[in-house]
Amino acid sequence: MPLILGIETSCDETSAAVVADGTRILSNVISSQAVHKDFGGVVPELAARAHVRNLLPVVRAALRGAGASLEDVDAIAVTAGPGLVGALLVGVSFAKSVAFARGLPLLAVHHIEAHLFATRLLDPPAALDFLALVVSGGHTALIQVDGPRRYRLLGETIDDAAGEAFDKVAKLVGLPYPGGAEVDRLARRGDPGAFDLPRSRLAAGSLDFSFSGLKTAVKYLLRDRPELIEPSRLPDLLASFQAAAVDVLVEKTMAAARRSGKRRVALVGGVAANTSLRERLAAAAARERIELVVPPPVLCTDNAAMVAAVGDHLLGIGANASLDLTPQAILPLPTERSASDS
Ligand code: KG4
Ligand code: ZN
């Protein structure tokens, strides 16, 4: 029963977790950084400094929560990219030090692969055989998952990530960062048909996304009609924005499911917490008798349990990293994207 200590510091969550067998969470401690609120986005230098302050207490809490000590741990898994390089460096340096001092295997984890492995932490664990929509503040991608390490990128955003669009629109209307959850909350009271905002579908048959035009449309609408920001009008504006974003996400996810032939869709990443996206995707999947897998929000947002779950797989196949591991801001998934898809 391998016990993996997972470490995640790729963005603004400092997290450590202990996972047994790649599927059983013994602890999953997440410390979200509040230092970025006043800046309307994550400030990389502040994120790295906050990781330095938080990481040791978070790791101690994770070990304590699991009733384990470093002696019990079989390997240490760390997110090595993609992400903010200064933030990643804190987790990677820490993991390397512990691996060296304790003689433990070091496992380098791809952050998006970790989001896919969040489905392994469900009870019962989902088989890695689905079409995934990975949708977060940094990523929006449709990935055909045929098994561990067998991924095919079917589509991704060509500009803003979906969560980024939510956060930018939240900022336009004066909500604190990150505003995605608050947009969701306010939109529930609004009319999604109040304003006709653009749905960017790109070329016919394309599974790529573009959200920057939608954000700009909201910006121009607010410039021409500043009264829409008033509390009585705001829910209509936000509901209309959310409907435009969710329409395209649901449409392309279902198209990707059909193209991949998968009968199961997994929704992962921070934006998977969005009520409208969950409801609309659930309804669309049900219509086509496709199973929808959505991990609970704590496993959808950045966390170290999903990192440890990948680590367990890497340990099993002997894919250990060396102690000269360096984090990468940009790191492609091991995918097979054929020319006919692009
Ligand atoms: O996965 P995550 O924790 O971090 C990244 O890897 O980016 O995702 C955070 C993103 C933020 O953009 C946040 O605004 C968005 O997820 N988010 C939401 C909701 N809850 C979080 N977006 C829309 N509706 C929500 N309920
Ligand atoms: Zn993430």
Side-chain angles (χ1 to χ4, degrees), residues 25-45:
I25 302 175
L26 302 189
S27 66
N28 189 20
V29 179
I30 304 164
S31 164
S32 299
Q33 303 177 357
V35 288
H36 311 290
K37 275 209 160 54
D38 298 337
F39 299 94
V42 176
V43 184
E45 176 64 22

Side-chain angles (χ1 to χ4, degrees), residues 2-302:
L3 214 59
I4 312 284
L5 173 63
I7 307 284
E8 158 65 39
T9 65
S10 69
C11 191
D12 58 345
E13 257 89 34
T14 314
S15 180
V18 178
V19 170
D21 283 336
T23 54
R24 228 157 31 85
I25 302 175
L26 302 189
S27 66
N28 189 20
V29 179
I30 304 164
S31 164
S32 299
Q33 303 177 357
V35 288
H36 311 290
K37 275 209 160 54
D38 298 337
F39 299 94
V42 176
V43 184
E45 176 64 22
L46 293 180
R49 284 168 193 242
H51 286 308
V52 170
R53 274 195 307 276
N54 298 342
L55 188 53
L56 214 50
V58 164
V59 169
R60 286 209 179 98
L63 288 170
R64 207 180 317 117
S69 74
L70 273 181
E71 270 92 87
D72 306 315
V73 167
D74 294 297
I76 178 155
V78 63
T79 305
L84 301 170
V85 81
L88 288 163
L89 198 54
V90 179
V92 168
S93 307
F94 174 84
K96 281 175 13 178
S97 317
V98 176
F100 178 66
R102 294 274 164 179
L104 290 173
L106 175 69
L107 306 158
V109 173
H110 190 288
H111 183 76
I112 302 301
E113 186 170 30
H115 275 299
L116 300 174
F117 269 68
T119 58
R120 300 287 302 148
L121 299 166
L122 300 173
D123 186 17
L128 284 177
D129 177 17
F130 46 69
L131 183 283
L133 171 63
V134 185
V135 73
S136 73
H139 313 277
T140 302
L142 287 165
I143 302 171
Q144 179 179 327
V145 177
D146 295 321
R149 301 257 124 163
R150 292 178 58 208
Y151 314 122
R152 202 171 137 88
L153 182 64
L154 299 183
E156 63 187 330
T157 184
I158 60 165
D159 42 53
D160 293 348
E164 195 179 349
F166 271 86
D167 294 339
K168 284 180 174 170
V169 166
K171 188 177 177 185
L172 284 174
V173 301
L175 298 172
Y177 176 85
E182 187 61 8
V183 170
D184 182 5
R185 200 181 66 79
L186 290 168
R188 260 173 250 160
R189 288 194 263 124
D191 171 11
F195 303 100
D196 189 19
L197 292 167
R199 271 89 172 142
S200 175
R201 297 192 167 84
L202 301 170
S206 168
L207 294 176
D208 286 335
F209 298 94
S210 167
F211 291 106
S212 72
L214 173 58
K215 169 207 65 194
T216 307
V218 172
K219 186 175 167 183
Y220 287 152
L221 185 59
L222 275 169
R223 183 196 60 189
D224 297 340
R225 300 180 58 186
E227 74 279 7
L228 296 181
I229 208 168
E230 284 165 20
S232 61
R233 316 288 303 272
L234 192 56
D236 281 349
L237 176 69
L238 296 179
S240 301
F241 155 74
Q242 182 171 275
V246 169
D247 266 0
V248 182
L249 287 168
V250 171
E251 210 175 275
K252 296 212 175 201
T253 302
M254 295 312 294
R258 268 174 242 126
R259 198 174 297 180
S260 67
K262 299 288 179 196
R263 303 305 299 162
R264 192 188 296 132
V265 165
L267 174 61
V268 294
V271 184
N274 185 268
T275 352
S276 171
L277 178 59
R278 283 173 173 248
E279 288 170 7
R280 300 264 319 276
L281 196 54
R287 271 197 298 278
E288 300 191 26
R289 298 190 200 295
I290 283 177
E291 184 194 347
L292 179 65
V293 178
V294 193
V298 68
L299 295 178
C300 279
T301 51
D302 289 348

